[in-house]
Amino acid sequence: MSGSADDDDGGAGAAALSGGGSPGGGSPGGDGFVPSALGTREHWDAVYERELQTFQEYGDTGEIWFGEESMTRLIRWMQKHKIPLDTSVLDIGTGNGVFLVELAKFGFSNITGIDYSPSAIQLSGSIIEKEGLSNIKLKVEDFLNPSTKLSGFHICIDKGTFDAISLNPDNAVEKRKQYVKSLSRVLKVKGFFLITSCNWTKEELLNEFSEGFELFEELPTPKFSFGGRPGNSVAALVFQKTLLYSELFHPVSCKRDICCVFSTCQLGNQGLCSGLRLTTHTLWCTMPSQLACFVPQWC
């Protein structure tokens, strides 16, 4: 999904997406935001059907969620950290695909955009074709239930999609949790997740993505003052994926009904679990039959 906003990152689009805020008054509470149609697939299907028709009739690509400065901010960060141009990048909820176009113009060559709205993918495909670009992949994907092929990305980017999910009338809390699980699955360990949000503060995003991610950097965004207190119109954070304890081990088939003890880093090629490089950590597994022998994932 995507949407509209002014170039200063505030704008009517951001205000509309917040849906009036949570019951607590403009910030997500324990149960999330007040449900809104902005959190439904039907809403975004209708939006992109209209935008697709407008593009076909007038050539108008539509507006940019959070404005052009939001795209510049993210690309500037990628350049600052010398992200290789062939790095695999995923745009989550690509909408009209304008950000993909900007990435391609800056030389990035391994970029993918997904959206659960077929009309959004059709629109972005038309815009990309008009720009004469051929190195951009597009897929109709529901990020809360991604296909097995959607994986292995070094960078994932979200500009408003997590915000929209937070407004879903159908158990938004669980959908947010599923979003984090999906993100952990598609993003490589040590990969980066760049999120721009108008509904969540820095502290709230840190809490939402506390499991499996750590804050790498906070990006500067426009500030304002209300009642003598400073604030930001949007939050823009860079997270880095860490390795969860549950991901440290994966099952490997063992060949004998034995109790394995691994205590040295060597190739386990002695009739135990062949072809495995073992760590210095002692690990026991009792195998009455064809059970799995667990070894650290990095081995």
Side-chain angles (χ1 to χ4, degrees), residues 274-290:
S274 62
L276 305 178
R277 182 176 295 277
L278 309 175
T279 70
T280 56
H281 298 288
T282 300
L283 190 65
W284 295 78
C285 69
T286 303
M287 300 171 295
S289 181
Q290 298 296 320

Side-chain angles (χ1 to χ4, degrees), residues 1 37 40-52 115-121 140:
M1 57 139 283
T40 65
R41 181 179 304 196
E42 292 77 14
H43 170 81
W44 294 107
D45 279 338
V47 166
Y48 287 114
E49 286 172 7
R50 291 194 301 269
E51 290 200 6
L52 177 61
D115 205 293
Y116 63 15
S117 171
S119 295
I121 294 301
V140 176

Side-chain angles (χ1 to χ4, degrees), residues 88-156:
S88 55
V89 180
L90 176 66
D91 187 20
I92 303 169
T94 195
N96 58 15
V98 172
F99 184 55
L100 297 174
V101 171
E102 290 302 306
L103 286 171
K105 287 181 178 180
F106 273 88
F108 289 93
S109 59
N110 188 9
I111 50 183
T112 301
I114 62 169
D115 205 293
Y116 63 15
S117 171
S119 295
I121 294 301
Q122 187 178 351
L123 172 62
S124 55
S126 299
I127 292 172
I128 289 167
E129 182 181 4
K130 180 182 178 181
E131 294 287 342
L133 301 169
S134 59
N135 59 340
I136 299 175
K137 296 179 283 291
L138 295 171
K139 299 179 181 180
V140 176
E141 287 268 6
D142 181 356
F143 192 65
L144 300 185
N145 187 29
S147 65
T148 55
K149 294 182 180 179
L150 195 72
S151 63
F153 291 93
H154 292 92
I155 293 180
C156 290

Side-chain angles (χ1 to χ4, degrees), residues 84-222:
L85 294 178
D86 61 351
T87 295
S88 55
V89 180
L90 176 66
D91 187 20
I92 303 169
T94 195
N96 58 15
V98 172
F99 184 55
L100 297 174
V101 171
E102 290 302 306
L103 286 171
K105 287 181 178 180
F106 273 88
F108 289 93
S109 59
N110 188 9
I111 50 183
T112 301
I114 62 169
D115 205 293
Y116 63 15
S117 171
S119 295
I121 294 301
Q122 187 178 351
L123 172 62
S124 55
S126 299
I127 292 172
I128 289 167
E129 182 181 4
K130 180 182 178 181
E131 294 287 342
L133 301 169
S134 59
N135 59 340
I136 299 175
K137 296 179 283 291
L138 295 171
K139 299 179 181 180
V140 176
E141 287 268 6
D142 181 356
F143 192 65
L144 300 185
N145 187 29
S147 65
T148 55
K149 294 182 180 179
L150 195 72
S151 63
F153 291 93
H154 292 92
I155 293 180
C156 290
I157 297 171
D158 181 319
K159 295 197 304 98
T161 299
F162 188 70
D163 283 352
I165 289 172
S166 303
L167 301 176
N168 193 290
D170 183 19
N171 202 345
V173 174
E174 286 303 315
K175 284 180 167 54
R176 298 201 314 261
K177 292 179 181 178
Q178 184 57 49
Y179 180 102
V180 177
K181 291 179 181 178
S182 296
L183 179 64
S184 184
R185 210 197 79 187
V186 305
L187 186 63
K188 284 180 172 290
V189 174
K190 296 299 182 182
F192 294 106
F193 171 53
L194 287 65
I195 181 170
T196 303
S197 170
C198 64
N199 278 353
W200 298 85
T201 66
K202 170 187 174 181
E203 290 72 21
E204 290 159 346
L205 288 172
L206 289 174
N207 182 63
E208 289 291 310
F209 294 92
S210 60
E211 185 174 352
F213 299 90
E214 61 184 10
L215 180 64
F216 183 83
E217 187 174 348
E218 180 179 9
L219 304 183
T221 59

